Amino acid sequence: MIYKVYYQENPDEVPVRENTKSLYLEANSEREVREYLKDRHILIEYIQLLEGNYLEYEKNSPNFRLENA
């Protein structure tokens, strides 16, 4: 399964929409995604499972770079 993770780079600051970044991970579950990211110094805002048309749309984005958890 492929997940899109929305995050802020600085977990000590108040989240600001304009500073939200995203990354794409291949993992078996949301828990696995959180485990993979736990050592990074980031604030996770939301983890979204990508399927069907949503996944195809994201794959066409120039920012789509898939990491393996």
Side-chain angles (χ1 to χ4, degrees):
M1 294 185 280
I2 297 177
Y3 293 88
K4 183 175 183 178
V5 180
Y6 297 90
Y7 69 95
Q8 299 279 323
E9 288 186 326
N10 190 344
D12 301 322
E13 292 181 1
V14 176
V16 177
R17 173 188 258 168
E18 290 79 16
N19 295 336
T20 298
K21 299 192 184 322
S22 62
L23 61 90
Y24 302 89
L25 287 172
E26 186 169 9
N28 294 320
S29 66
E30 183 177 329
R31 178 174 288 196
E32 190 175 314
V33 171
R34 290 187 182 278
E35 274 293 311
Y36 178 75
L37 297 173
K38 73 178 181 181
D39 295 331
R40 296 190 187 187
H41 195 65
I42 61 173
L43 171 67
I44 297 173
E45 292 182 17
Y46 184 66
I47 299 175
Q48 178 183 13
L49 175 62
L50 297 178
E51 299 178 299
N53 291 335
Y54 295 110
L55 177 57
E56 293 307 313
Y57 176 81
E58 293 291 345
K59 282 183 176 179
N60 292 324
S61 167
N63 298 322
F64 186 81
R65 288 179 186 78
L66 190 59
E67 295 181 36
N68 290 315

